[in-house]
Amino acid sequence: MQYKEYGKTGKKVSVIGFGGMRFRKEDYSKSMEKCAAVVRRASELGVNYFDTAPNYCDDKSEEIMGEAFKDMPNPFYVSTKSAIWSEKNADDVRRRIEKSLKRMGLEKITFFNMWCILNLEQYRKVMAPGGPYEGALKAKEEGLIEHIVFSTHCNGEDIETIVNEGYFEGVTLGYNATNFAFRQRGIKAAYEKGLGVVTMNPLGGGIIPQNPEFYSFIKENENDSLVQAALKFNASHKEITVVLPGMGTIEEVEENVKAGENFGEMTEEKLNKMAKMLNESLDALCTGCQYCKGCPKDIEIPKYMDAYNMYILNKENTAISDRLKWHWGMNKEKAAECIECGKCEAQCTQHLPIIERLKYIANI
Ligand code: SF4
Ligand code: SF4
């Protein structure tokens, strides 16, 4: 496993981190132990960056981590989060930190994320007097957390604005072989400012391994699986400190950590070449993150957008209807019920034209 300096924090972290959002329900609903063993296996193989959050895996992820940490001899760093939608002020954040510490059996959290900042308006709310950042800062002064970082789905320009204001030591953001052009500016700005850069969603919500032909261009080594190639794609960027795939089984851990052993160096030339291959579909794919949920018309947007992904990848309308019918057991009619309120587009982490796509689907 290779290690990189996390910004200016003095921490050396494994280039492959453990994303604690993919534990299997069939495992944790019976016992925490099977999931905890997955975490421990990652530690044995050199992973020392463990990311979790309240609410992941039916709110069990932090508890699973805590179970694993009881019996993990290698040193490790922990990242968890508080969200502006549930921890609205400094006191809420304090309570959240205390709860996370208790659940994980820790005395301090290494990296505490102001979670999922979607736009500058939310950022201002996080930073407002008496707001979440203030709560985190106080906890830091008291030694309950070490570094305040932020996690975001903002576009590159907004990330640059946040980074340049200088309140954070690192950033967690979605970056992969699908959306890289969209976030280049953000990772560059963070790197130049000396922040650690953690990249979540390196497999594009599963889209990359599910479409091996389309994404074959990211493979530099024939012996790598597409998952490994996608992780290496991120790891090879000098701007990126940690690649964070979600892991739910020991097999996944063993496959993922191999990507952290050797990887090339990403150059502008390679990126430009890849961008050309992705052409107009750059960042156009839905990653399935589900942040657009809560439609007033109960339209299952992520499922419709997933079906539209198939159209982008196959250029056939039948790919949409087939995906809806055979994969999701749905039909296109519900898409026509959109009242264009715009709520989903305001929340979409990929800034997709959801309304336009729903109209397209309704009319195929
Ligand atoms: S714009 Fe349409 S799909 Fe989006 S939340 Fe509003 S009604 Fe639902
Ligand atoms: S439409 Fe946007 S917010 Fe919704 S799942 Fe897809 S990428 Fe995520």
Side-chain angles (χ1 to χ4, degrees), residues 118 153 201 283-293 301-306 309 344-354 357:
L118 287 173
H153 294 286
N201 200 15
D283 195 48
L285 295 174
C286 164
T287 60
C289 67
Q290 314 233 346
Y291 281 100
C292 55
K293 271 184 151 181
I301 301 164
K303 293 181 181 172
Y304 281 105
M305 294 303 107
D306 170 78
N309 282 346
C344 55
E345 290 193 357
Q347 304 198 118
C348 177
T349 56
Q350 299 298 101
H351 303 266
L352 299 181
I354 297 171
R357 289 185 182 185

Side-chain angles (χ1 to χ4, degrees), residues 292-364:
C292 55
K293 271 184 151 181
C295 165
K297 300 300 286 179
D298 292 327
I299 297 170
E300 295 192 80
I301 301 164
K303 293 181 181 172
Y304 281 105
M305 294 303 107
D306 170 78
Y308 193 89
N309 282 346
M310 297 304 130
Y311 169 70
I312 293 170
L313 294 167
N314 298 300
K315 300 278 175 238
E316 300 271 3
N317 284 346
T318 50
I320 299 180
S321 37
D322 284 353
R323 183 76 167 176
L324 286 175
K325 188 171 173 193
W326 302 115
H327 191 83
W328 297 117
M330 296 162 58
N331 58 40
K332 65 181 178 112
E333 276 66 37
K334 183 82 184 168
E337 291 181 25
C338 171
I339 52 168
E340 303 187 18
C341 70
K343 190 170 168 253
C344 55
E345 290 193 357
Q347 304 198 118
C348 177
T349 56
Q350 299 298 101
H351 303 266
L352 299 181
I354 297 171
I355 298 171
E356 194 185 303
R357 289 185 182 185
L358 287 173
K359 267 193 207 162
Y360 186 88
I361 292 170
N363 290 315
I364 56 175

Side-chain angles (χ1 to χ4, degrees), residues 198-223:
V198 177
T199 53
M200 54 189 166
N201 200 15
L203 306 180
I207 286 170
I208 296 173
Q210 281 161 19
N211 292 280
E213 255 178 59
F214 184 82
Y215 286 102
S216 59
F217 67 87
I218 63 170
K219 259 196 181 188
E220 295 207 312
N221 181 337
E222 265 315 300
N223 297 325

Side-chain angles (χ1 to χ4, degrees), residues 20-313:
M21 74 296 275
R22 294 273 182 267
F23 295 115
R24 303 289 194 268
K25 191 170 189 146
E26 61 268 30
D27 295 335
Y28 63 73
S29 57
K30 287 186 209 130
S31 116
M32 299 277 167
E33 182 43 39
K34 194 167 175 192
C35 300
V38 178
V39 179
R40 284 191 218 109
R41 180 67 181 140
S43 172
E44 277 166 18
L45 294 174
V47 173
N48 72 358
Y49 184 97
F50 293 87
D51 179 82
T52 179
N55 301 326
Y56 281 174
C57 305
D58 302 322
D59 205 25
K60 293 282 187 267
S61 180
E62 286 189 331
E63 276 180 63
I64 293 166
M65 292 288 185
E67 189 60 31
F69 296 159
K70 281 184 200 162
D71 188 18
M72 226 163 75
N74 296 336
F76 58 88
Y77 302 119
V78 178
S79 152
T80 192
K81 313 177 180 89
S82 75
I84 183 73
W85 60 81
S86 50
E87 285 80 39
K88 295 182 170 47
N89 58 45
D91 291 342
D92 291 344
V93 168
R94 175 54 176 242
R95 278 190 288 275
R96 167 55 60 197
I97 290 170
E98 286 173 359
K99 194 170 176 186
S100 294
L101 285 169
K102 196 168 167 207
R103 294 211 286 197
M104 291 192 277
L106 297 171
E107 286 182 2
K108 65 182 174 192
I109 292 159
T110 330
F111 301 102
F112 191 71
N113 285 267
M114 300 282 97
W115 193 5
C116 195
I117 296 175
L118 287 173
N119 49 48
L120 289 180
E121 192 191 334
Q122 277 190 354
Y123 166 62
R124 300 286 170 221
K125 282 187 189 159
V126 166
M127 304 308 294
Y133 184 85
E134 209 173 282
L137 197 59
K138 191 152 182 293
K140 184 181 172 184
E141 283 159 10
E142 291 173 34
L144 300 179
I145 61 179
E146 285 192 76
H147 307 289
I148 308 175
V149 301
F150 71 110
S151 115
T152 184
H153 294 286
C154 286
N155 61 34
E157 197 180 339
D158 290 350
I159 292 171
E160 194 171 15
T161 302
I162 297 172
V163 158
N164 286 339
E165 291 197 4
Y167 293 103
F168 296 103
E169 293 182 80
V171 58
T172 308
L173 79 180
Y175 189 88
N176 54 53
T178 291
N179 71 2
F180 62 89
F182 181 67
R183 297 241 161 75
Q184 277 286 291
R185 192 165 162 181
I187 63 164
K188 277 190 188 337
Y191 175 75
E192 277 157 23
K193 198 80 183 169
L195 271 70
V197 176
V198 177
T199 53
M200 54 189 166
N201 200 15
L203 306 180
I207 286 170
I208 296 173
Q210 281 161 19
N211 292 280
E213 255 178 59
F214 184 82
Y215 286 102
S216 59
F217 67 87
I218 63 170
K219 259 196 181 188
E220 295 207 312
N221 181 337
E222 265 315 300
N223 297 325
D224 287 342
S225 67
L226 205 53
V227 167
Q228 289 164 338
L231 301 183
K232 286 185 181 188
F233 171 82
N234 281 25
S236 63
H237 287 63
K238 70 175 186 308
E239 296 90 350
I240 293 175
T241 321
V242 177
V243 189
L244 203 57
M247 308 197 211
T249 64
I250 287 184
E251 291 72 31
E252 282 173 0
V253 168
E254 291 174 349
E255 181 179 15
N256 291 343
V257 293
K258 284 198 189 115
E261 285 163 11
N262 60 69
F263 42 86
E265 194 184 324
M266 187 50 73
T267 60
E268 288 293 324
E269 197 191 339
K270 277 194 213 170
L271 276 181
N272 289 340
K273 212 165 135 199
M274 290 187 191
K276 264 195 200 131
M277 298 179 100
L278 283 169
N279 57 52
E280 86 280 4
S281 68
L282 265 184
D283 195 48
L285 295 174
C286 164
T287 60
C289 67
Q290 314 233 346
Y291 281 100
C292 55
K293 271 184 151 181
C295 165
K297 300 300 286 179
D298 292 327
I299 297 170
E300 295 192 80
I301 301 164
K303 293 181 181 172
Y304 281 105
M305 294 303 107
D306 170 78
Y308 193 89
N309 282 346
M310 297 304 130
Y311 169 70
I312 293 170
L313 294 167

